[in-house]
Amino acid sequence: MSQVLRRLRGRSGRRPGRRLGRRTMAIVLACLAALPAVVAGIGWSVSAAVDDNLTGRPIPDHQLAEIVSATSSCPMLTPARVAGQLMAESGLNSTAVRTKSGGRGIAGLDDQDWKRWAPWPNAVRTDSSANILALAHQMCDLSGQLRVANVPGDRWRLSLAAFRSGLTAVEEERGIPDSAADYVDEAVGYASYYARQPKFGGPGGQPVPTTPPANAKPLPAEYVQPVLAAGKVCQQVTPAAVAAVLMAASGFQPNLLGRNGERGIAQFRTDLWRRYGPADGSAWEPADAIPAVGTALCTLITELSAISGDPYVLALSAFRMGPDAVRQAGGTPNAATHAFLGNVASYTPTTSSTPDSPPPPQRRRRPHHPSDPQHRGPRRPRHQTPRQHRRPRTRGRRPATTSLRSRLRTPATP
C-alpha cells in the first residue's frame, strides 16, 4: 500500500488522500442533505399504511348529528375530522376519566379548557354534544392563532398538534413536535376511515340515514279540514306547508311510532306536544295533532326570532330537533333535520294541489245586458288613477313567499 501511495504521489505531486477525502466529504454531505426527505417519505409511507389499517368505532346517528352540527364552527372542520379526533382522543367514550391529551370526556378537554369553551351557560360536563361543540370551538381558535403566527403546514394537523402538546410547542417547532406526531397520525388515520364511510358521505352513501319517506301521495280527504285549520294560524305557515310536514314526517300514517319516541301523523316529540298540543288531546289523534302543527310552527317562528336565519326554516328545524337544540346550534340544522327540510321542500308542490281536496268555490258573475233593469251602465269615478300607478289590493290575501327549497339554498351561516 505504501508503494502504491508513493507512485501516486510521484505522478500527481499531491497526496491522493486529501482529494479522495474531499470528494468523499462532498458525497457524504449530499447524502445527509437528502436524508431528511428520504426519512420523511419513509415516515409518510409508514404513516399512510398505518392510517389505512385503522378502524373507528361505529357512531350512532344522534352523535353524528352532534358532530355535523359542530363542524359549522369553521371551514377547517369536517364531520370525518371531528370524529377522527374524538376517536383518537377518547375512543368515543363520553365518560372517559383521562384521555390521550390528559383531559376527560369524549372530547378530552381539561377543566380549564372546558371553563373557557363551554358552548352555553350551565352546560353539563358530561353532555357529549356540549363537549363536541366546545372541542370544535377550541380547534378553530387554535387554527386562527397558528395562522396569525404564520406557522407553515396543514392547518388541521397543526391544530391537532397544538391541542395535544400546546400552542407554544408548535410555534417553537414551526411544525408538529415529536410529542404530538403519533397523536396527529392517529387522528388523521381515523378521519380517513370515517371519510370513507357512507354515513359521512363516502362512496355510495348519504350523510345520515333517516327513515325513508313514503312515495308522495295526495292528502287524504279526512285530513283536509284539519290541515286547512292548521294553515290559518299564521300567514307564514300555509295549508300546503302543513300537508308537506305531515307527508315528510309520517307519510300520513296516524299510528306511526318514531325511533326516538315521536308519535302519530305529525311525529310530535314528547316535549313539543306537552308545550304546544291541546291539554285534552292526543298526538295519536289526527284531529288534535294536525291543527297543533300549525300552532307549534307559528309559535316557534316567534320564539326563535332572535336567531339569525329564515324564521320558517328555523321553526321547521325546531319542530324536528327541538328548540333548545336549534338555539345551541345557532340555527344550523343537523344532518337528519336538513334531510327532513329537503323532504318538506320536495313534498310542498305535491301536496299543495291534492286530488282528494275539494276545489275552492268560484263566484259566478251575473252577465250584464242593456235590457236588464238592474244594469245601470259603467260607473265612472271622478278621478281615475292611471293603471300603472294604482296600489295593488292586498286586503285579505297572503303575502307572496318564496319556496322552502329556495330558502334552503340561501346561505345564512358562519
Side-chain angles (χ1 to χ4, degrees):
M1 176 64 72
S2 60
Q3 294 179 356
V4 173
L5 289 175
R6 290 192 192 98
R7 290 177 184 177
L8 292 173
R9 193 179 303 164
R11 291 180 181 179
S12 61
R14 298 181 181 178
R15 294 193 176 185
R18 292 184 179 178
R19 185 162 59 179
L20 290 174
R22 292 175 182 174
R23 290 179 181 177
T24 304
M25 184 62 68
I27 295 173
V28 171
L29 291 176
C31 293
L32 290 175
L35 186 59
V38 175
V39 172
I42 295 174
W44 172 256
S45 300
V46 173
S47 176
V50 173
D51 292 349
D52 291 340
N53 293 329
L54 289 177
T55 302
R57 293 179 178 175
I59 295 180
D61 291 346
H62 74 276
Q63 199 168 70
L64 178 57
E66 296 167 355
I67 291 173
V68 172
S69 178
T71 58
S72 62
S73 301
C74 62
M76 175 189 72
L77 298 179
T78 66
R81 285 181 170 182
V82 175
Q85 183 177 5
L86 294 174
M87 184 64 200
E89 183 66 37
S90 68
L92 297 176
N93 183 6
S94 58
T95 61
V97 178
R98 185 172 181 82
T99 62
K100 287 281 183 67
S101 300
R104 58 191 178 100
I106 190 172
L109 300 172
D110 58 30
D111 293 338
Q112 183 177 358
D113 288 338
W114 171 253
K115 185 177 180 179
R116 180 180 181 186
W117 297 110
W120 53 82
N122 301 322
V124 181
R125 189 71 167 89
T126 56
D127 184 354
S128 62
S129 62
N131 279 264
I132 293 172
L133 189 57
L135 174 65
H137 291 170
Q138 183 176 5
M139 291 292 290
C140 294
D141 179 75
L142 291 173
S143 174
Q145 294 191 58
L146 291 167
R147 179 181 57 81
V148 172
N150 199 26
V151 179
D154 180 83
R155 198 71 65 202
W156 181 57
R157 292 170 180 262
L158 292 172
S159 300
L160 287 172
F163 183 84
R164 178 67 178 86
S165 300
L167 184 65
T168 303
V170 177
E171 291 178 344
E172 291 177 351
E173 185 71 22
R174 304 298 293 171
I176 299 174
D178 294 339
S179 58
D182 291 341
Y183 176 80
V184 172
D185 290 342
E186 189 175 3
V188 171
Y190 283 124
S192 177
Y193 165 79
Y194 285 119
R196 297 192 299 268
Q197 304 309 305
K199 269 189 174 185
F200 290 81
Q206 298 296 326
V208 175
T210 57
T211 303
N215 294 330
K217 53 187 178 182
L219 178 67
E222 63 267 28
Y223 302 144
V224 170
Q225 292 305 321
V227 165
L228 292 176
K232 294 179 180 179
V233 178
C234 64
Q235 293 183 340
Q236 295 93 329
V237 181
T238 64
V242 174
V245 169
L246 298 177
M247 180 66 209
S250 70
F252 304 126
Q253 301 179 49
N255 299 319
L256 181 65
L257 176 64
R259 59 183 174 184
N260 294 320
E262 301 89 350
R263 295 171 292 169
I265 191 171
Q267 289 293 278
F268 262 102
R269 296 161 48 98
T270 303
D271 57 338
L272 292 185
W273 179 256
R274 190 181 300 113
R275 188 181 303 181
Y276 304 113
D280 56 349
S282 171
W284 298 107
E285 181 58 50
D288 298 331
I290 295 175
V293 172
T295 302
L297 291 177
C298 292
T299 307
L300 287 168
I301 287 175
T302 303
E303 291 180 353
L304 301 175
S305 59
I307 301 177
S308 176
D310 188 289
Y312 177 59
V313 175
L314 291 173
L316 280 177
S317 301
F319 187 80
R320 183 70 176 184
M321 58 189 286
D324 292 337
V326 171
R327 291 188 183 96
Q328 293 167 6
T332 303
N334 58 36
T337 302
H338 198 277
F340 172 75
L341 296 177
N343 289 336
V344 173
S346 300
Y347 292 139
T348 299
T350 305
T351 55
S352 60
S353 56
T354 58
D356 292 346
S357 59
Q362 297 182 357
R363 295 180 58 186
R364 297 182 60 184
R365 294 185 179 181
R366 182 178 180 180
H368 294 292
H369 192 273
S371 61
D372 189 347
Q374 295 184 4
H375 178 69
R376 300 180 181 179
R379 183 178 179 181
R380 297 181 180 179
R382 295 180 180 180
H383 302 285
Q384 180 70 38
T385 304
R387 183 175 299 274
Q388 62 271 23
H389 296 295
R390 294 180 187 175
R391 297 179 62 184
R393 296 179 62 188
T394 59
R395 187 175 182 179
R397 298 181 183 179
R398 291 183 181 273
T401 58
T402 56
S403 66
L404 174 60
R405 187 172 295 278
S406 64
R407 295 179 184 186
L408 293 176
R409 292 195 185 115
T410 305
T413 45

